[in-house]
Amino acid sequence: MNTEIRNNWTLDEIREIYFSPVLELMNRASNVHAKYNTTGEVQVCTLLSVKTGGCSEDCSYCPQAARYNTGVEAHKLMTYESVINNALDAKNGGSTRFCMGAAWRNVRDNSDFDNVIDMVKGVNAIGLEVCCTLGMLTEQQAQRLKEAGLYAYNHNLDTSDEHYGEIISTRTYKDRLETLDNVEKAGLSVCCGGIIGLGETDDDRIKLLHTLATREQHPESVPVNALVSVKGTPLEGREKVQVWDMVRMIATARVLMPKAMVRLSAGRNEMNYEQQALCFLAGANSIFTGEKLLTTPNPGFDADKEMFALLGLKPRESFKAEKEKEVALT
Ligand code: SAM
Ligand code: DTB
Ligand code: SF4
């Protein structure tokens, strides 16, 4: 089996992988995972919404868009102290990556951004890998985040270019791709994935994976989210994503992007341990833990500790990729 790292996948090749019988697909993904990564090792990340609600965008899945009545109130940016306290709790709970999210369309060069820069410095000083997801960015803003010690930037493409307009009208796919380029130019790791359950076809999922897997550099991490269908959003009442769809998406991502951290992201609250185990077998090696994602419920540290013990999973240490690079150079 050919398991070299490739950036020239064709849509047909991806279709063949995606549509293969699910157990064969899982087996293939497991083999790729074992070749490139430490199986059974899972990165534990914590999310914190540092600026919640009141967003001007119209992302139809999002409880934080100001135009939908979802019950999520708009808040100001959190204080430095409370962010640092949350980061310390996350570290004590076993997290190694801390991701700060803001309900912004894009970053502006104002005092809020100055404060986020300080938060990045503070969380970095605690020894956590720091990630931010703040909306669209210029190259200069990405550079400032990098200088402050940011490790990764999350910016999802969500779905295919073709389906994007059905989900969001206030920005384009091209806008998202530009931010990803700016993030890369600043030397930050890219965290980029999508959501399933948005009414997309299998081909939309395949096209999203194609866009990610044919980037010159595969994203360092690829979050696979199942839609959390929130009351008041246009996607309220959507059918729950089937676990086999998650498995297919995760396994295909693993085969295409062998070294990426494939993150079993939103949707875990509706999954039992057995279903999550299938996702780990399919090559997922990262989760968000803590009782909340940004605004919706998520399994807490204790439930995840129990699952780790039950499945024999081990949390991945922080900055592991960097440490391995250093060892290789000495
Ligand atoms: N405002 C920034 C942006 O849109 O890039 C950052 C925060 S935004 C909430 C981060 C990501 O969360 C979105 O790109 C989307 O992929 C995911 N997300 C938001 N609402 C979701 C939901 N209801 N279900 C699953 N994923 C969701
Ligand atoms: C990602 O791909 N999923 C996370 C993180 N990146 C920022 C966010 C999920 C949000 C789910 C809805 C909510 O909690 O508001
Ligand atoms: Fe705003 Fe981000 Fe939510 Fe879209 S996903 S409405 S940009 S917070």
Side-chain angles (χ1 to χ4, degrees):
M1 195 198 313
N2 186 359
T3 53
E4 66 184 305
I5 295 193
R6 291 177 45 194
N7 307 69
N8 61 353
W9 296 100
T10 65
L11 278 170
D12 279 342
E13 283 175 314
I14 301 178
R15 280 190 195 108
E16 205 184 311
I17 298 166
Y18 180 92
F19 285 118
S20 55
V22 74
L23 297 183
E24 264 172 44
L25 172 58
M26 282 176 82
N27 189 36
R28 179 166 178 185
S30 267
N31 287 332
V32 171
H33 192 37
K35 177 167 175 194
Y36 288 95
N37 308 294
T38 311
T39 50
E41 185 180 81
V42 174
Q43 182 189 44
V44 181
C45 316
T46 297
L47 269 173
L48 178 67
S49 181
V50 297
K51 160 68 187 83
T52 304
C55 184
S56 61
E57 297 281 82
D58 71 350
C59 312
S60 52
Y61 47 74
C62 187
Q64 302 198 68
R67 64 190 77 201
Y68 312 134
N69 291 318
T70 62
V72 171
E73 283 173 30
H75 291 268
K76 285 198 291 203
L77 186 69
M78 279 175 77
T79 62
Y80 178 85
E81 284 70 29
S82 47
V83 170
I84 296 302
N85 285 334
N86 272 277
L88 289 169
D89 286 349
K91 189 167 185 185
N92 291 334
S95 264
T96 52
R97 182 176 281 205
F98 190 70
C99 179
M100 294 180 272
W104 290 333
R105 172 175 203 269
N106 57 289
V107 170
R108 287 182 230 166
D109 295 306
N110 56 16
S111 60
D112 271 359
F113 187 42
D114 296 340
N115 288 333
V116 169
I117 292 287
D118 287 341
M119 292 170 189
V120 169
K121 288 181 185 160
V123 176
N124 191 36
I126 294 173
L128 290 162
E129 290 178 17
V130 200
C131 174
C132 275
T133 181
L134 314 170
M136 294 180 280
L137 278 183
T138 64
E139 196 184 334
Q140 289 70 28
Q141 291 165 339
Q143 197 64 51
R144 262 191 90 189
L145 286 164
K146 170 79 184 170
E147 280 156 19
L150 192 77
Y151 186 84
Y153 195 78
N154 166 252
H155 200 64
N156 291 338
L157 287 171
D158 288 338
T159 187
S160 68
D161 192 359
E162 289 78 357
H163 193 59
Y164 204 70
E166 302 286 317
I167 302 299
I168 298 149
S169 77
T170 46
R171 57 166 191 259
T172 64
Y173 215 63
K174 194 165 155 273
D175 292 330
R176 291 303 265 192
L177 290 166
E178 265 169 31
T179 292
L180 292 175
D181 290 343
N182 292 338
V183 167
E184 253 172 15
K185 280 189 224 151
L188 291 164
S189 288
V190 169
C191 170
C192 182
I195 309 180
I196 63 175
L198 303 174
E200 73 285 350
T201 60
D202 286 316
D203 229 45
D204 289 314
R205 296 177 189 169
I206 288 163
K207 284 179 177 154
L208 167 66
L209 290 169
H210 181 256
T211 305
L212 298 173
T214 54
R215 286 184 70 77
E216 204 174 310
Q217 181 103 46
H218 292 163
E220 178 253 358
S221 42
V222 178
V224 178
N225 295 279
L227 173 72
V228 180
S229 171
V230 178
K231 196 158 176 272
T233 63
L235 299 183
E236 164 182 357
R238 283 295 165 106
E239 233 173 76
K240 197 181 140 199
V241 166
Q242 296 289 309
V243 67
W244 297 114
D245 287 331
M246 278 306 261
V247 164
R248 247 181 221 291
M249 196 68 185
I250 288 169
T252 310
R254 172 55 66 215
V255 172
L256 301 177
M257 296 169 278
K259 281 188 168 171
M261 303 300 302
V262 178
R263 186 167 306 129
L264 171 57
S265 302
R268 281 201 312 122
N269 213 38
E270 281 73 49
M271 293 169 82
N272 60 28
Y273 293 160
E274 290 86 337
Q275 292 171 331
Q276 294 182 61
L278 289 174
C279 295
F280 296 127
L281 208 54
N285 61 347
S286 172
I287 55 166
F288 288 118
T289 188
E291 281 182 2
K292 243 202 255 175
L293 287 164
L294 289 170
T295 65
T296 61
N298 188 50
F301 290 122
D302 291 345
D304 283 336
K305 276 217 173 87
E306 186 180 83
M307 177 176 74
F308 271 53
L310 196 67
L311 302 180
L313 300 173
K314 277 186 241 55
R316 175 184 162 106
E317 61 176 308
S318 54
F319 302 107
K320 191 179 176 201
E322 277 51 47
K323 287 175 192 155
E324 282 174 353
K325 265 185 228 150
E326 275 166 31
V327 171
L329 289 173
T330 51

